[in-house]
């Protein structure tokens, strides 16, 4: 079976490509490297022994999509390609809507023209409404997003749902990820943020490596046990395996399905720092500063549906996430650009 992976050179895409090849799938990637490096493909090859087929192009380019669907018999598409920086999306909303929604529409059009009927979409826990009560289940209220990035995921889901309903025989999985962290255990692929990291784990890793002096903890006055924000961190390899499970699910089920992918456990920022320090034996200097606008106090998932219907469960814990994230950072202090 051949899988088209949009954004396959990125953080989650590269880990998913490894698990797809391990499962015996043939992988075709389309990526324009707007937020990734071609070197991640060499690393996928080093891990698996197989170099994925690459189309270096923008997913919005429908002529390239036609070429891909003409040259390969694609069974299923996994759509990772998208811009994902929340702050940048506030400053450049049109760029986000154009890229994230334009790519989704172009992809659905090309699938329709070429009778490709299976699609897995990278959505996010950010689509849950800020008033929703954790743990979030797939039926929790959505919308009321606090930034344009979040809206692109919300509208992206809706566009795909409508396209699938109009076709009638599409099988679509909308996967809402919680907080993906960690790296492949080889340390050959991992998260490679450009500039100052927005997310907690890459920031901690850069403090550990001496690239940044200290971590700023955004608020310790939340209604949580230690006052810092609580999140459902999920190891990126578990997340990648969630996509493999979704392919199996789509081969037996027509229509659209939503699945939350998380562990179901919430950890605070301070728990994260302490675990990283213990597992890797490194001190992480930090300072408590004010809250970051738009942050929730608590976010974690109910896992009933992903376990019961999708048949998938995360198996790696916070120790694995902290160990593997640091292993990648240590081996690649400047990410792929240092190679
Ligand atoms: P990433 O930036 O590492 O990967 C995205 C990839 O898509 C990159 O390789 C980038 O070059 C490519 N890309 C972007 N726009 C493109 C376009 N128009 N044409 C071709 N390629 C394009 O991000 P990631 O963390 O791997 O995230 C993958 C997906 O998962 C994204 O859609 C993201 O919004 C979603 N997601 C991520 C998180 C997270 O915390 N990392 C959480 C929830 C959802
Ligand atoms: C986690 C916790 C911060 C950095 C974001 C996006 C979301 C999704 C995943 C794509 C929070 C705290 C962070 C720092 C800190 N992406 N923190 N100091 O905000 O849950 O989710 O990434 O869909 O859309 O919003 O993740 O890693 O940024 O923050 O104290 O330097 O760490 O306040 O409590 P978040 P995060």
């Amino acid at each position: 079976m051949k899988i088209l992976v949009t954004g396959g050179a990125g953080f989650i895409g590269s880990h998913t490509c490894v698990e797809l090849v391990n499962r015996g799938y043939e992988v075709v990637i389309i990526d324009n490297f707007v937020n990734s490096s071609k070197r991640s493909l060499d690393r996928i090859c080093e891990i698996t022994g197989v170099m994925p087929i690459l189309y270096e192009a923008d997913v919005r380019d429908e002529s390239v999509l036609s070429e891909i669907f003409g040259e390969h018999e694609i069974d299923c598409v996994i759509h990772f390609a998208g811009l994902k920086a929340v702050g940048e999306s506030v400053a450049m909303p049109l760029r986000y809507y154009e890229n994230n929604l334009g790519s989704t529409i172009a992809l659905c059009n090309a699938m329709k023209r070429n009778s490709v009927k299976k699609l897995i979409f990278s959505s996010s826990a950010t689509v849950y409404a800020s008033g929703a009560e954790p743990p979030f289940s797939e039926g929790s209220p959505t919308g009321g997003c606090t930034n344009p990035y979040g809206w692109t995921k919300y509208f992206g889901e809706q566009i795909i749902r409508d396209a699938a309903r109009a076709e009638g025989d599409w099988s679509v999985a909308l996967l809402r990820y919680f907080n993906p962290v960690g790296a492949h255990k080889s340390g050959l692929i991992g998260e490679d943020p450009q500039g100052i990291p927005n997310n907690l784990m890459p920031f901690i890793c850069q403090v550990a490596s001496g690239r940044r002096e200290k971590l700023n903890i955004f608020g310790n006055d939340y209604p949580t046990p230690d006052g810092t924000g609580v999140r459902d961190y999920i190891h990126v390899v578990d997340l990648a395996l969630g996509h493999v499970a979704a392919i199996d699910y789509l081969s037996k089920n027509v229509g659209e399905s939503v699945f939350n992918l998380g562990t179901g456990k919430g950890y605070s920022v301070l728990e994260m720092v302490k675990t990283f320090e213990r597992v890797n034996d490194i001190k992480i200097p930090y300072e408590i500063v004010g809250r970051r606008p738009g942050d929730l106090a608590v976010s974690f998932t109910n896992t009933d549906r992903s376990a019961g219907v999708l048949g998938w469960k995360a198996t790696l814990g916070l120790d694995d996430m902290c160990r593997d994230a640091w292993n990648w950072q240590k081996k690649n202090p400047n990410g792929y650009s240092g190679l």
Side-chain angles (χ1 to χ4, degrees):
M1 257 175 64
K2 255 190 203 177
I3 314 293
L4 174 63
V5 183
T6 78
F11 172 44
I12 306 169
S14 58
H15 287 81
T16 303
C17 288
V18 166
E19 299 310 324
L20 293 172
V21 174
N22 286 346
R23 230 331 169 83
Y25 292 122
E26 280 183 80
V27 172
V28 178
I29 292 176
I30 175 168
D31 203 306
N32 62 0
F33 302 109
V34 64
N35 193 41
S36 56
S37 163
K38 226 181 238 183
R39 293 181 180 124
S40 70
L41 303 196
D42 300 329
R43 294 295 187 78
I44 293 172
C45 182
E46 213 174 318
I47 296 169
T48 62
V50 177
M51 183 56 112
I53 298 162
L54 169 69
Y55 288 79
E56 182 171 349
D58 196 300
V59 179
R60 288 170 292 171
D61 186 340
E62 290 198 33
S63 65
V64 176
L65 294 177
S66 293
E67 196 183 320
I68 296 174
F69 288 124
E71 288 170 4
H72 304 275
E73 203 169 306
I74 300 292
D75 297 283
C76 179
V77 180
I78 309 183
H79 182 31
F80 291 109
L83 300 171
K84 62 164 183 179
V86 170
E88 189 181 67
S89 82
V90 175
M92 295 185 239
L94 300 181
R95 180 169 182 240
Y96 270 67
Y97 286 118
E98 206 164 50
N99 190 75
N100 293 3
L101 299 183
S103 63
T104 302
I105 292 168
L107 189 62
C108 289
N109 268 330
M111 286 176 58
K112 180 173 154 68
R113 270 199 313 274
N114 291 277
S115 299
V116 176
K117 298 169 192 290
K118 294 195 181 74
L119 175 63
I120 296 172
F121 177 59
S122 293
S123 189
S124 168
T126 195
V127 301
Y128 288 113
S130 48
E133 271 297 305
F136 302 131
S137 57
E138 290 78 355
S140 293
T142 57
C145 302
T146 55
N147 58 76
Y149 165 73
W151 282 117
T152 68
K153 291 296 161 188
Y154 179 87
F155 293 134
E157 285 193 5
Q158 192 60 40
I159 289 166
I160 292 171
R161 243 187 233 116
D162 289 340
R165 282 181 194 160
E167 292 308 302
D169 59 351
W170 281 19
S171 300
V172 162
L174 308 172
L175 304 183
R176 295 178 180 156
Y177 314 152
F178 279 68
N179 289 62
V181 295
H184 190 265
K185 65 177 178 337
S186 62
L188 286 168
I189 52 175
E191 190 168 8
D192 183 17
Q194 309 302 304
I196 302 170
N198 300 303
N199 298 112
L200 180 63
M201 182 65 106
F203 205 105
I204 291 177
C205 286
Q206 293 196 4
V207 173
S209 71
R211 224 166 123 181
R212 314 217 170 256
E213 188 198 334
K214 62 175 166 40
L215 169 72
N216 287 322
I217 295 185
F218 300 138
N220 68 348
D221 55 355
Y222 284 106
T224 61
D226 64 24
T228 65
V230 167
R231 296 290 182 275
D232 187 337
Y233 298 97
I234 171 170
H235 196 294
V236 64
V237 171
D238 273 331
L239 187 62
L241 290 168
H243 295 75
V244 176
I247 294 175
D248 292 344
Y249 180 84
L250 293 187
S251 67
K252 298 181 216 105
N253 295 277
V254 176
E256 346 75 78
S257 306
V258 180
F259 295 106
N260 285 350
L261 298 185
T263 64
K265 292 189 202 75
Y267 292 100
S268 74
V269 179
L270 278 173
E271 281 178 296
M272 191 78 158
V273 170
K274 300 290 169 227
T275 308
F276 191 96
E277 290 186 330
R278 173 176 54 74
V279 170
N280 297 316
D281 198 17
I282 299 176
K283 199 95 202 100
I284 303 296
Y286 66 82
E287 185 184 341
I288 308 286
V289 300
R291 290 182 180 191
R292 183 171 65 178
D295 270 354
L296 292 178
V298 179
S299 164
F300 64 103
T301 186
N302 174 317
T303 57
D304 290 351
R305 192 172 149 76
S306 56
V309 181
L310 183 60
W312 165 91
K313 257 188 184 156
T315 61
L316 299 167
L318 203 58
D319 284 16
D320 304 296
M321 302 179 210
C322 291
R323 185 197 57 231
D324 293 341
W326 175 234
N327 183 43
W328 151 256
Q329 175 76 41
K330 225 173 16 186
K331 290 184 171 155
N332 308 272
N334 297 308
Y336 293 112
S337 57
L339 300 178

